[in-house]
Amino acid sequence: MTTLRRLAAGLLGASLPFIQALPARADETIPIALIEGLSGSFANAGEAVYRNLLFAVERVNQRGGVKLPGGAKRFELQRFDSKGGTEEAQAMLRAALDRQVGFVLQGNSSAVAAALVDALNKHNQREPQRRALFLNYSAVDPVLTNQKCSFWHFRFDAHADMRLAALIDVLAQDPGVRKIYLIGQDYSFGQHVLKAAREAVATRRPDIDIVGEELHPVGRVKDFLPYALKIKASGAQAVLTGNWGNDLTLLVKAAREAGVDARFYTFYGNALGAPAAIGEAGVGKVLAVAEWHPNAGTPGSERFYADFRARFPKPEDDYVHARMQVLVEMLAAAIERAGSTEAAAVARALEGMSYDGASLGGLHQGTMRAADHQFQQPLVVSVMDKAGAPGVRFDNEGSGYGFRTLRRLEAKQTEQAHQCAMERP
């Protein structure tokens, strides 16, 4: 095990202060700030993101780092715990900027992302000599690359409308669904998903009745059984939700306990305990949408997944996403193209950049659209099944259940129009 890996392993198991970083001299590294909820209700989701980014950073560093005119530099991943709150995230942004961090990463809340975009816009205008970029791996409220788009913000995840369109494409071809229940978290993202889902169902399947529509507090519901009983009583054959983290896991667990007999169309049902929580009841009934999943079935995908599982062998650490790997790979490539770590130069290098997957063994591909800084990439809709079933070589988190591909949509099929009118420095 290399020194870097020993340090990383130690950090993963250590008691965490509000800020952590892999120790290195500032002039030898390119610091990257992860601002995320690393404690509180969604700590498991934050730690899962950290493992993904650590894996990506280690890969770049092990091949020699980022090549610059003055010599190669390693990435240095720093942890800033926002505790899942907007005000704390803004405080962590200020702390990162005070440490001369030029690249800020966040994603596990669109409300937090919107606040960070606004704060960074103001900072970059006020202090042009200390500008920074915001790289977003999971905050999927479409407004972030539409009305509130920013030159300083890049999104590497498909936004909610892109994900929803892929799910609705599958739902529209399911003749068994006549009633659907919509449920989500009561904040900007969850509210948008319910509104957009209502409109999409009316357009694509006007024969489907929406028999329930529910928003619940984010990260505060400990018992979802009352919600599950409402779903059961509604007679819905399908449930559509954008829930993530423990809010999804507890929801599907309660649905299993209540005996809900419906298909779950989810944004994130293939990770963070959801497959184990629903168990056998989810076979053929829990769907998820993502840019990739472990049973994609290509040699590059299987090599990448094997490497990740070797690095993080615990079943509970089995949470990996291609987009987070692509984010780090494209950041390294943009810095090299710019020949600089200056934020505006790197932003211009990222605009329009295509990624062919070569540095990930052919795992993924896509293009960062210059007009709105929304990454254009394929999406896959998959369905839960028993490990070992056709198309399900790998399970999720040691649960005995994995996901097989139902439909793959190429980047051209997932692309949507935007409403971004971006101001450029």
Side-chain angles (χ1 to χ4, degrees):
M1 182 181 284
T2 66
T3 299
L4 180 60
R5 288 194 173 189
R6 283 197 297 272
L7 287 167
L11 284 176
L12 282 170
S15 175
L16 303 177
F18 81 106
I19 297 174
Q20 277 197 339
L22 296 174
R25 282 173 43 192
D27 60 347
E28 294 178 345
T29 64
I30 300 170
I32 304 172
L34 170 64
I35 299 177
E36 199 52 86
L38 301 170
S39 60
S41 300
F42 298 114
N44 61 336
E47 290 293 347
V49 168
Y50 173 66
R51 288 189 294 273
N52 270 263
L53 296 175
L54 179 63
F55 185 63
V57 163
E58 287 179 345
R59 182 178 56 249
V60 172
N61 290 345
Q62 286 166 2
R63 65 174 185 246
V66 182
K67 298 175 180 61
L68 285 164
K73 291 188 177 183
R74 294 185 301 112
F75 278 135
E76 176 192 350
L77 183 60
Q78 303 182 3
R79 296 163 53 102
F80 294 76
D81 184 6
S82 69
K83 302 179 177 62
T86 299
E87 291 184 5
E88 192 71 20
Q90 291 172 314
M92 293 298 96
L93 174 63
R94 291 192 293 271
L97 295 173
D98 286 344
R99 296 176 63 158
Q100 308 300 313
V101 174
F103 305 102
V104 174
L105 281 60
Q106 184 271 339
N108 286 354
S109 167
S110 290
V112 170
L116 291 180
V117 169
D118 183 60
L120 199 57
N121 285 342
K122 293 174 181 175
H123 166 83
N124 286 352
Q125 185 174 22
R126 185 173 60 249
E127 299 189 52
Q129 74 283 1
R130 292 201 303 136
R131 295 184 297 200
L133 292 186
F134 176 23
L135 308 180
N136 168 7
Y137 46 76
S138 290
V140 296
D141 189 337
V143 74
L144 294 171
T145 48
N146 282 291
Q147 296 89 341
K148 294 185 179 180
C149 66
S150 167
F151 178 78
W152 309 107
H153 166 254
F154 291 81
R155 175 158 47 201
F156 289 81
D157 198 355
H159 66 57
D161 288 348
M162 298 164 75
R163 284 175 171 265
L164 180 63
L167 285 175
I168 295 294
D169 194 51
V170 174
L171 173 68
Q173 298 181 42
D174 187 346
V177 176
R178 297 293 179 180
K179 298 179 179 180
I180 191 168
Y181 200 103
L182 310 179
I183 184 168
Q185 296 154 312
D186 193 7
Y187 75 112
S188 57
F189 161 65
Q191 294 160 7
H192 178 86
V193 170
L194 261 63
K195 178 179 181 292
R198 190 188 322 122
E199 295 169 354
V201 169
T203 300
R204 296 290 303 276
R205 283 289 303 273
D207 59 310
I208 293 179
D209 291 329
I210 298 175
V211 294
E213 192 169 328
E214 193 103 39
L215 288 167
H216 61 79
V218 182
R220 297 205 300 271
V221 179
K222 304 304 178 186
D223 181 8
F224 275 87
L225 188 58
Y227 296 96
L229 291 173
K230 287 183 184 180
I231 294 170
K232 184 177 181 180
S234 74
Q237 294 105 5
V239 178
L240 192 148
T241 182
N243 276 22
W244 56 275
N246 284 334
D247 281 349
L248 176 62
T249 304
L250 294 174
L251 173 63
V252 296
K253 183 178 180 181
R256 182 193 66 187
E257 293 171 351
V260 173
D261 185 19
R263 291 189 107 183
F264 272 73
Y265 287 78
T266 77
F267 280 39
Y268 307 109
N270 56 349
L272 292 177
I278 200 166
E280 183 71 21
V283 173
K285 291 190 173 181
V286 175
L287 286 75
V289 59
E291 75 282 357
W292 169 86
H293 67 102
N295 291 310
T298 65
S301 171
E302 295 192 358
R303 283 194 301 271
F304 166 78
Y305 185 60
D307 288 344
F308 184 87
R309 298 297 291 122
R311 176 65 179 87
F312 299 107
K314 294 180 181 178
E316 61 268 28
D317 292 347
D318 179 18
Y319 175 98
V320 57
H321 292 286
R323 64 182 183 271
M324 298 178 193
Q325 311 303 313
V326 170
L327 183 158
V328 173
E329 292 292 340
M330 289 185 69
L331 174 59
I335 292 171
E336 291 182 348
R337 177 184 289 183
S340 168
T341 58
E342 196 277 320
V346 176
R348 293 187 183 98
L350 272 172
E351 288 188 322
M353 177 182 284
S354 292
Y355 180 71
D356 63 6
S359 57
L360 290 170
L363 174 70
H364 198 47
Q365 62 278 327
T367 300
M368 180 58 70
R369 190 162 64 184
D372 60 348
H373 295 183
Q374 171 62 57
F375 192 55
Q376 305 299 318
Q377 62 191 315
L379 288 175
V380 180
V381 179
S382 58
V383 64
M384 186 170 158
D385 208 339
K386 290 182 179 179
V392 191
R393 178 178 176 183
F394 304 109
D395 70 352
N396 289 70
E397 304 166 327
S399 65
Y401 301 94
F403 283 73
R404 58 179 168 82
T405 298
L406 279 180
R407 183 160 306 157
R408 175 183 166 90
L409 295 92
E410 299 302 328
K412 283 293 183 184
Q413 296 173 281
T414 68
E415 186 174 4
Q416 295 193 359
H418 67 86
Q419 302 169 41
C420 174
M422 188 180 297
E423 294 184 10
R424 298 173 181 275

